[in-house]
Amino acid sequence: MEPIRIEQFFLGCLAHASYMVASEGVAAVIDPQRDVDIYVDAAKEAGWQIEHIIETHLHADFVSGHHELAERTGARIYLGDGSGASFMHTAVKDGDSIQFGNCRIDFMQTPGHTVESACAVLTDLGEPSRPKAVFTGDTLFVGDVGRPDLSGDHTPQELAAMLYRSLHEKLLKLPDDTEVFPAHGAGSLCGRQMSSERSSTIGKERRTNYALQAKSSDEFVSLLTESLPPRPEYFGYDVELNRRGAAALEQLPQLTPLRASEVLRLQSEGAVVLDTRPAMDFAVAHVPGSIHIALSGQYASWAARILGLYKRIILVGEDADHLRESQLRLARVGIEKADTYLEDGVSGWVKSGYELDYIPQVSATELADLLDQDDVSVLDVRESTEVQGGAIENSIRIPLGQLPARTDELDHDKLMVVHCKGGYRSSIATSILRRAGFRDVANLTGGHDAWLVRNNEMAGSQL
């Protein structure tokens, strides 16, 4: 009897985890990402046939590939009852199950993150006395639980109360050694304190997950809904797209090059030039007015939060592969109007006779000297939970996701030195400020981490 195989596919740019469970040549894919070749190729290599696709809920932070994967494999899609999904699927309730090979998957309705949320409990029929694992979607994370504000019909308080019951009356009834496989890890927008660990157990989460320490439903509801970060606007669109089923990625248009003069014209009409190169490349030279979001980090998520899903986007990248990857990652969150790029990149802009812009970089030592001046401000774009661990004195605090709507709170007449934790988000912030008309903007190299190192070195030298 072959052991059940569980393969995890972790997409770092969205902190998204999907899974393939296989037994006796048959496989089920759980919470697939939009580009589904990875599952098709992995199944082909292993000799498995994908017959089942399980969605733990209608995802809000990315576009799922369930529709395309079902069309390519003939697999059946399973989704919690009450989703309102318009594509062909099986709506599952408590007690429903599927079985293939030595594997049985029992569905457990766990509303709270969304109304239709469901978990999939895996049992190895070779050891049928206790479940082996549970795929929790966004109901239970490692170190956190799902945010309760994704319904237009229920208040966050109502959803949080549902989530408390789902956790304590269902999930936490599973044995402590049951493995927990969530749909997201640290960096996802679907929770606040997720661990970077990719899996856990019911027992470990019972002991260490902050949200599970609440002693009552009321305490849990308050914990989850007080200081809840704003819900990104694109979440609603992605839910509806997933409810319909997204088109196959092969339908994305091919990227078209644009001369610098055409880019300049479209930019004047409202198009956004999106520079995806590394932060230092952008800082040294970039198209004036462009937004910088480096491809190396959580690029697509930040692009959706900062730009929305509907603006026309002109890409700036390092080469053809970089540009195509940029377009693909944007499509993963529902941005499909990124089908052009600046021909020959920044060098093409220069050859056309246009000027470039740049962002000065300030070291932690230089910032310490600048803080004595009245015409300098420090802007901290980290999240409030990060600021609790320490902040530069008298800094202004606006989380990056809120910055585009709050630039009028800042002083144009002061040098604005921007920082985050390590430098990724602050580079985005400097481009937002520059585009909004702030001329005296600088980026703190290495972010708050570099500031702490500098302070520790100073303290050590004084001993």
Side-chain angles (χ1 to χ4, degrees):
M1 183 178 292
E2 294 183 6
I4 293 173
R5 292 277 302 277
I6 300 175
E7 301 285 344
Q8 184 184 71
F9 302 82
F10 193 81
L11 187 60
C13 64
L14 293 175
H16 166 223
S18 56
Y19 303 87
M20 186 146 57
V21 177
S23 178
E24 301 293 330
V26 177
V29 176
I30 301 170
D31 291 330
Q33 64 189 57
R34 188 171 186 181
D35 39 322
V36 299
D37 282 344
I38 58 170
Y39 313 111
V40 175
D41 293 345
K44 182 178 180 180
E45 183 177 347
W48 302 333
Q49 175 64 42
I50 298 173
E51 295 186 1
H52 309 281
I53 301 166
I54 298 169
E55 287 282 28
T56 57
H57 63 295
L58 294 172
H59 299 279
D61 60 320
F62 70 93
V63 178
S64 173
H66 57 257
H67 192 260
E68 179 181 356
L69 187 58
E71 288 187 334
R72 291 177 59 176
T73 63
R76 175 174 293 185
I77 302 172
Y78 303 85
L79 182 62
D81 187 49
S83 70
S86 58
F87 54 84
M88 188 175 295
H89 70 285
T90 298
V92 295
K93 300 179 180 179
D94 286 338
D96 290 340
S97 65
I98 57 176
Q99 186 171 319
F100 52 96
N102 303 313
C103 172
R104 187 181 75 237
I105 294 178
D106 297 293
F107 293 102
M108 177 189 294
Q109 289 180 282
T110 52
H113 175 63
T114 67
V115 173
E116 79 285 349
S117 287
C119 295
V121 182
L122 169 65
T123 298
D124 185 338
L125 296 178
E127 302 176 65
S129 61
R130 56 196 304 110
K132 174 181 177 64
V134 58
F135 299 90
T136 55
D138 290 15
T139 297
L140 177 64
F141 299 121
V142 180
D144 206 347
V145 296
R147 61 187 299 161
D149 63 340
L150 301 185
S151 171
D153 300 321
H154 297 81
T155 67
Q157 289 74 21
E158 289 170 338
L159 282 177
M162 292 182 197
L163 184 55
Y164 181 84
R165 292 192 294 273
S166 294
L167 290 165
H168 289 273
E169 296 176 9
K170 292 184 176 181
L171 268 179
L172 293 180
K173 298 292 186 182
L174 295 172
D176 278 358
D177 60 353
T178 306
E179 292 181 276
V180 172
F181 294 109
H184 289 293
S188 168
L189 300 176
C190 293
R192 287 185 283 188
Q193 297 187 34
M194 280 181 258
S195 169
S196 58
E197 295 180 24
R198 303 284 176 83
S199 65
S200 184
T201 65
I202 288 293
K204 182 178 179 181
E205 293 309 299
R206 192 196 311 277
R207 295 189 304 272
T208 63
N209 190 312
Y210 84 99
L212 302 184
Q213 308 313 307
K215 294 180 173 54
S216 68
S217 177
D218 288 344
E219 183 181 339
F220 180 86
V221 170
S222 295
L223 185 66
L224 260 63
T225 58
E226 289 180 1
S227 303
L228 191 64
R231 180 180 64 187
E233 291 185 11
Y234 77 94
F235 272 21
Y237 174 85
D238 278 7
V239 167
E240 291 307 315
L241 185 54
N242 286 327
R243 185 174 279 120
R244 300 192 305 269
L249 275 178
E250 66 180 16
Q251 297 180 23
L252 282 179
Q254 291 295 311
L255 284 165
T256 302
L258 296 177
R259 293 182 177 179
S261 58
E262 183 68 3
V263 171
L264 187 62
R265 182 185 67 80
L266 292 172
Q267 195 179 27
S268 70
E269 296 174 357
V272 176
V273 177
L274 177 58
D275 195 321
T276 65
R277 298 173 300 150
M280 193 53 67
D281 290 355
F282 175 81
V284 170
H286 60 265
V287 174
S290 56
I291 293 294
H292 176 247
I293 307 177
L295 189 61
S296 58
Q298 292 188 324
Y299 159 77
S301 176
W302 280 117
R305 294 176 73 182
I306 300 300
L307 305 177
L309 303 182
Y310 307 112
K311 287 186 173 65
R312 178 165 186 177
I313 292 173
I314 304 167
L315 296 169
V316 177
E318 297 179 288
D319 52 43
D321 290 341
H322 183 110
L323 290 165
R324 186 63 182 174
E325 180 68 14
S326 300
Q327 183 190 35
L328 168 62
R329 292 192 187 186
L330 293 176
R332 285 174 178 158
V333 296
I335 298 177
E336 298 182 347
K337 292 186 176 181
D339 56 1
T340 58
Y341 66 94
L342 174 59
E343 189 174 34
D344 296 327
V346 169
S347 63
W349 187 263
V350 173
K351 290 176 185 177
S352 297
Y354 297 122
E355 293 185 356
L356 294 169
D357 205 350
Y358 73 99
I359 301 292
Q361 305 295 295
V362 173
S363 70
T365 299
E366 290 170 331
L367 177 58
D369 295 334
L370 287 170
L371 291 179
D372 293 331
Q373 302 177 23
D374 293 334
D375 59 349
V376 176
S377 292
V378 176
L379 174 62
D380 184 342
V381 296
R382 296 176 298 161
E383 297 297 322
S384 58
T385 52
E386 297 175 276
V387 174
Q388 293 170 7
I392 298 174
E393 188 175 0
N394 298 322
S395 57
I396 302 165
R397 294 154 199 173
I398 302 178
L400 176 58
Q402 301 176 27
L403 184 59
R406 296 177 60 184
T407 57
D408 58 352
E409 299 176 23
L410 303 173
D411 191 341
H412 280 258
D413 297 326
K414 291 186 176 183
L415 169 62
M416 189 68 59
V417 180
V418 188
H419 80 85
C420 59
K421 181 180 186 295
Y424 182 85
R425 287 169 290 173
S426 59
S427 183
I428 301 172
T430 59
S431 71
I432 292 170
L433 293 175
R434 187 58 64 80
R435 193 167 188 264
F438 288 79
R439 298 312 307 166
D440 291 329
V441 176
N443 186 43
L444 175 60
T445 306
H448 194 257
D449 286 350
W451 179 257
L452 291 177
V453 169
R454 179 261 175 195
N455 288 350
N456 289 335
E457 289 176 348
M458 292 293 293
S461 66
Q462 294 172 6
L463 294 178

